[in-house]
Amino acid sequence: MTMLSRFRGSMLGSLMGDCLGGPFEGDAVVSRTHLNNYFQQLRDPKKRLPFKPYTDDTAMTKSVALSLIDNKGYNAQDMAKRFTKEYFAEPKRGYGSAVHDVFMGLRNSNCEDPYRPAQRQFQGMGSYGNGAAMRVAPVALMAHNDEAAAIEIATMQSKITHSHKLGYQGAVLQCLAVRAALHTQPDDLNVVKFTDDLIAKMREIEKKDADTVVEDVGEESDAPWNTTSYARRLETVKSFLQKPEPPPMEEIHGLLGVHVSALKSVPTAIYCFLASQKSLPGIECNNNKFQRCIHFAISLGGDTDTIAAMSGAIAGAFFGEEHIPQELLRHCEAVKNALSWADKLCEASSNAKLGA
Ligand code: F2R
Ligand code: MG
Ligand code: MG
Ligand code: MG
């Protein structure tokens, strides 16, 4: 499989998760039977169905991708300007409720200090929403040859909107997961080792960041969560993967989460990708593992578009464009655009000057 196929798979996977997961965002859970019908209808060439629009997840991914491409690397002010322009052109793409204030601040200051408005969010605590993680896949593609640059750019692009440690560390984890998927041969995937590698990387990153004290996110009980939050969630992912079947929904909700916060959605998206390597009870997918991943992610409910977009970006990078069902893609908005971001990222990544 070529790297171009994986780049295209990742951009299409992210787009499809967003478009197909969007209609269920905020539902408590989505029955797998209902989703079997949903996917069957989408795959039926005779069915005429309403078009599935993309949401903020893709609108922001587009800005990250085009900024990295046009600048041949990271340029904070340019990226902030693109986020702001995109938001004010189409504010009704389902953005998070607080991030509007960041775009107002950026517009009013002409992005003079692109990080300042985000630092003012939530009484100076910053946002821990998953908005920085949901758009980070282009960073993993652009920096596929340079892990240090990937971590640095994932962090800095987050801080334009999400300055809370849990917000930007979630983006780093999602970026590392997409990179790991890009570099893993399908026959070589060991789901426990994949998770262990991410745990080791996040432990190191969280250790370095440990002096940054953060406020409690509200529902956390696994102290000391503020120093190793992501590594601990990934340990839970590993324990779930070692069971013969996924645990009951309440356990996934309680121990991983399906929430708009990065901590309670990024590890969940990684779990969806890894769990869907095997068949899953109640999920019909014509043995297509990519479709199974999107289906499983949506079935968990909660932040369905974002968790499906993040797991789709990982799964697409792993399986490549060829495994993404065309019958499903035809319902998604902006497929041609997503392909063009992938193609340009592939070209730009070979001669990029990275570093944030
Ligand atoms: N916002 C949504 N969905 C809501 C429904 C939208 C509706 N369909 C519509 O069309 O209007 N989805 C999108 O938002 C998520 C990404 O959000 P992002 O970019 O992280 O935004 P924000 O506002 O920074 O954070 C989201 C919420 O998290 C809570 N929060 C964050 N930091 C906090 C802190 N320090 N203290 C307390 N709460 C904090 C707040 O509730 C924020 O509003 C994606 O799901 C995307 O699809
Ligand atoms: Mg969205
Ligand atoms: Mg939405
Ligand atoms: Mg969402």
Side-chain angles (χ1 to χ4, degrees):
M1 195 192 335
T2 63
M3 207 34 114
L4 178 61
S5 166
R6 288 173 180 268
F7 274 47
R8 287 179 148 220
S10 187
M11 288 294 91
L12 293 175
S14 176
L15 175 72
M16 192 191 286
D18 183 19
C19 293
L20 300 191
F24 304 97
E25 194 185 30
D27 291 2
V29 283
V30 189
S31 107
R32 291 185 190 168
T33 318
H34 177 77
L35 284 178
N36 285 335
N37 292 334
Y38 176 66
F39 279 101
Q40 205 176 9
Q41 293 204 2
L42 291 173
R43 275 179 160 260
D44 180 351
K46 294 192 284 297
K47 276 265 180 235
R48 290 170 63 84
L49 294 164
F51 195 61
K52 305 274 183 276
Y54 67 76
T55 77
D56 58 331
D57 305 62
T58 302
M60 298 201 87
T61 300
K62 170 186 166 188
S63 294
V64 173
L66 294 179
S67 180
L68 291 174
I69 292 162
D70 288 350
N71 293 280
K72 300 183 173 57
Y74 180 66
N75 176 329
Q77 206 172 48
D78 176 78
M79 201 177 280
K81 283 186 177 168
R82 287 177 197 256
F83 287 152
T84 308
K85 192 170 169 207
E86 187 72 33
Y87 172 74
F88 285 106
E90 293 189 299
K92 295 204 188 308
R93 286 276 185 188
Y95 283 84
S97 50
V99 74
H100 163 86
D101 297 343
V102 175
F103 300 129
M104 286 294 285
L106 287 171
R107 184 166 77 170
N108 292 341
S109 63
N110 197 24
C111 301
E112 198 182 350
D113 176 351
Y115 302 111
R116 185 79 195 104
Q119 290 160 1
R120 293 206 194 98
Q121 292 294 87
F122 296 96
Q123 291 84 45
M125 201 198 296
S127 172
Y128 55 62
N130 55 19
M134 73 190 183
R135 65 182 188 233
V136 80
V139 176
L141 306 188
M142 186 74 170
H144 71 101
N145 279 327
D146 186 341
E147 183 177 277
I151 293 171
E152 195 184 359
I153 299 172
T155 305
M156 297 315 289
Q157 69 82 31
S158 297
K159 289 183 176 178
I160 299 173
T161 49
H162 292 70
S163 66
H164 194 289
K165 181 160 89 169
L166 292 176
Y168 64 77
Q169 285 179 347
V172 170
L173 173 57
Q174 169 65 11
C175 179
L176 290 174
V178 175
R179 273 193 91 250
L182 275 179
H183 293 295
T184 305
Q185 291 305 322
D187 289 343
D188 294 345
L189 177 64
N190 172 329
V191 296
V192 170
K193 183 176 179 308
F194 189 98
T195 316
D196 274 335
D197 289 349
L198 290 175
I199 292 171
K201 286 176 201 229
M202 287 313 292
R203 265 199 214 299
E204 203 178 308
I205 288 164
E206 293 187 298
K207 207 161 105 194
K208 275 196 202 142
D209 243 357
D211 53 338
T212 318
V213 176
V214 296
E215 300 297 318
D216 198 323
V217 295
E219 298 151 56
E220 201 65 24
S221 59
D222 54 347
W225 61 272
N226 62 344
T227 53
T228 56
S229 309
Y230 284 100
R232 290 167 73 91
R233 295 259 157 177
L234 289 167
E235 291 286 0
T236 303
V237 168
K238 187 165 93 171
S239 74
F240 285 0
L241 291 168
Q242 286 166 327
K243 294 177 195 277
E245 281 192 358
M249 201 61 91
E250 307 75 59
E251 230 176 285
I252 300 177
H253 283 188
L255 297 179
L256 290 183
V258 289
H259 191 245
V260 70
S261 75
L263 183 64
K264 294 176 183 181
S265 58
V266 178
T268 315
I270 294 168
Y271 173 60
C272 290
F273 161 62
L274 294 171
S276 59
Q277 300 301 315
K278 290 198 301 196
S279 65
L280 293 168
I283 295 186
E284 292 164 11
C285 61
N286 307 312
N287 231 3
N288 181 297
K289 291 180 185 172
F290 176 85
Q291 183 179 326
R292 186 186 292 144
C293 169
I294 299 288
H295 185 146
F296 184 47
I298 299 173
S299 77
L300 301 180
D303 197 358
T304 50
D305 66 330
T306 303
I307 296 174
M310 293 191 293
S311 56
I314 304 168
F318 179 71
F319 291 116
E321 180 187 14
E322 295 76 12
H323 279 69
I324 301 190
Q326 287 298 325
E327 303 89 327
L328 297 180
L329 264 183
R330 74 196 162 97
H331 299 286
C332 303
E333 182 182 4
V335 168
K336 282 195 181 139
N337 303 41
L339 285 172
S340 98
W341 309 331
D343 293 355
K344 289 178 187 163
L345 279 164
C346 198
E347 200 188 324
S349 69
S350 55
N351 46 21
K353 229 179 10 32
L354 297 174

